[in-house]
Amino acid sequence: MSSIWNNRISVSIFGEAEGPAIGVTIDNLPSGEHLNAEELSAFMARRNIVNGGNPWDNMRPHIMSGVYNDRTTGAPLCAFIQNIPSAQPKNDELDNLVRPGHADYTGAVRYRGFNDVRNSGHFSDKLTVPLCFAGAVCGQILERRGIYTGAHILQLHDIRDNPFDPVNITRDGVKSIRSKEFPVINDRKGWLMTEDIEKARQSGESLGGVIECASVNVPAGIGSPIFDGLENNIAQLIFGIPGVMGLEFGAGFSSAMMVGSQNNDDFYVDEHGHVLTKTNNHGGILGGISSGMPVTLRVAFKPSPSVAKLEGAVNFHEMTEETADNTSGHIPCTVPASVPCVEAAVNIALLSHMIDYPNFC
């Protein structure tokens, strides 16, 4: 399985949903970086928001190597997270079914039926726990250099939050959302979203949405053209989050409806002698390289496939058509819990490029 991301720093995620443990190993981190355990825990805890009561939300990582006296040693940083046994009763028949919207069928074909299928195995969104840990570590290293990343729910189902200002988003604006119980800019829209999630829970349905993310104070000159662009690396990590269906930077797909002069961002020199743009349709990245403007992106998530409905499925062992009843595993919405996952992915990609930046370490 392709569970190792390697680009200057490497992130290797291991484990399965019902195995004894999951975890992550991060290599090539700068040595001597101070890690704040309380901030790491606070970042991880943000996965707990309205996630359908999953039993793994309160899992805590145990650092096994790579940190001594709260500082990175330069050795691989390995975090081990003990799995909490599932509260759901064991159901061998359900394990044999390929369910709509899940990776049961494709995983069985790809791995010839030998993959661990319990609660989706290595395909489970439980694997975003170690991803969040890695992103939280990278985030602390970046913030010490003044680079901050934050995200919010731009849209959940048909309810839309206020968007980020793509030109004037600030560090304080990014950080303020992290301290909220529900990650939105407009709290009233957040209340409507939580009500919609509860309706979905009661009806056995699930909801998708869009997460908007921004990174501020990213210096110009980070990234490379063609295959090692900043967007390329962010995209690789973003699509490692279960449920992601789309990604756009800056004006994204709406730029297809503009003419060139509308889409172009005029340059100017500010009072501090910095080259900036008056608008930010390019999302802070040109030619795969950061421009010095805020890096902005939006990620679309499909509704969770774990609905409390009877659905058509196939018993892959018997090759018979059956009915899947996933009521006990119903998850009405994964979008709120995915907000720190998106931040984590962006932090990892940014740090991987910042390591090459002059005088970074």
Side-chain angles (χ1 to χ4, degrees):
M1 290 188 178
S2 179
S3 302
I4 301 175
W5 185 83
N6 187 20
N7 196 323
R8 287 166 287 273
I9 64 172
S10 68
V11 176
S12 176
I13 292 175
F14 59 86
E16 290 150 325
E18 293 296 322
I22 57 176
V24 62
T25 300
I26 318 167
D27 204 358
N28 293 328
L29 288 173
S31 59
E33 295 291 335
H34 181 265
L35 296 182
N36 185 309
E38 291 185 4
E39 291 181 5
L40 288 176
S41 295
F43 190 102
M44 303 283 290
R46 291 167 57 212
R47 281 191 74 260
N48 301 356
I49 304 171
V50 193
N51 198 30
N54 283 332
W56 55 78
D57 281 337
N58 294 315
M59 298 166 69
R60 291 291 177 264
H62 302 280
I63 296 178
M64 310 300 291
S65 65
V67 177
Y68 183 68
N69 289 333
D70 298 326
R71 290 187 179 274
T72 57
T73 64
L77 196 166
C78 180
F80 174 96
I81 305 162
Q82 186 172 359
N83 264 335
I84 299 172
S86 174
Q88 301 178 29
K90 182 173 176 55
N91 188 335
D92 291 331
E93 292 184 2
L94 184 61
D95 287 345
N96 292 334
L97 296 182
V98 292
R99 301 161 294 167
H102 291 78
D104 303 332
Y105 174 66
T106 52
V109 173
R110 174 65 177 84
Y111 300 107
R112 299 183 296 151
F114 291 104
N115 57 304
D116 186 345
V117 298
R118 297 171 298 171
N119 278 338
S120 298
H122 197 64
F123 296 94
S124 169
D125 66 351
K126 186 184 288 190
L127 275 299
T128 60
V129 177
L131 176 71
C132 279
F133 175 82
V137 169
C138 293
Q140 287 196 22
I141 296 173
L142 289 169
E143 289 182 6
R144 202 161 291 118
R145 276 80 174 177
I147 300 170
Y148 289 81
T149 298
H152 71 113
I153 303 172
L154 178 63
Q155 183 171 339
L156 193 144
H157 194 199
D158 58 356
I159 303 168
R160 190 173 176 86
D161 189 23
N162 300 343
F164 281 139
D165 183 328
V167 174
N168 299 310
I169 180 68
T170 64
R171 179 193 69 175
D172 291 340
V174 161
K175 291 181 64 178
S176 64
I177 302 175
R178 297 184 196 168
S179 59
K180 292 190 173 185
E181 293 185 6
F182 197 80
V184 290
I185 295 173
N186 186 327
D187 291 334
R188 180 179 174 276
K189 296 298 181 70
W191 299 333
L192 295 175
M193 290 179 186
T194 56
E195 289 175 358
D196 208 15
I197 292 173
E198 182 57 31
K199 291 177 183 176
R201 187 196 309 276
Q202 293 175 5
S203 64
E205 274 295 354
S206 63
L207 306 174
V210 177
I211 292 173
E212 184 180 41
C213 185
S215 296
V216 298
N217 300 329
V218 178
I222 304 303
S224 298
I226 314 297
F227 298 125
D228 194 27
L230 188 53
E231 309 114 306
N232 304 49
N233 294 153
I234 291 173
Q236 284 181 315
L237 289 155
I238 288 290
F239 278 101
I241 303 171
V244 172
M245 296 298 288
L247 169 64
E248 61 179 5
F249 292 87
F253 284 97
S254 64
S255 62
M257 297 180 287
M258 302 178 188
V259 297
S261 59
Q262 290 175 311
N263 187 61
N264 288 342
D265 302 302
D266 290 348
F267 284 100
Y268 73 100
V269 179
D270 73 2
E271 63 273 16
H272 303 292
H274 298 149
V275 176
L276 299 173
T277 59
K278 296 180 179 179
T279 52
N280 193 16
N281 292 322
H282 67 286
I285 305 173
L286 289 167
I289 303 170
S290 60
S291 68
M293 295 296 290
V295 174
T296 62
L297 57 135
R298 286 171 294 281
V299 186
F301 284 82
K302 69 178 183 180
S304 166
S306 299
V307 297
K309 304 281 187 178
L310 296 178
E311 297 184 299
V314 167
N315 186 315
F316 193 65
H317 287 182
E318 304 295 332
M319 293 305 290
T320 56
E321 296 181 12
E322 299 188 17
T323 300
D325 182 0
N326 195 39
T327 302
S328 61
H330 177 214
I331 302 175
C333 190
T334 61
V335 176
S338 297
V339 169
C341 303
V342 170
E343 292 179 15
V346 173
N347 282 338
I348 295 168
L350 284 175
L351 181 60
S352 75
H353 283 284
M354 284 299 302
I355 286 177
D356 287 343
Y357 198 72
N359 303 318
F360 178 75
C361 296

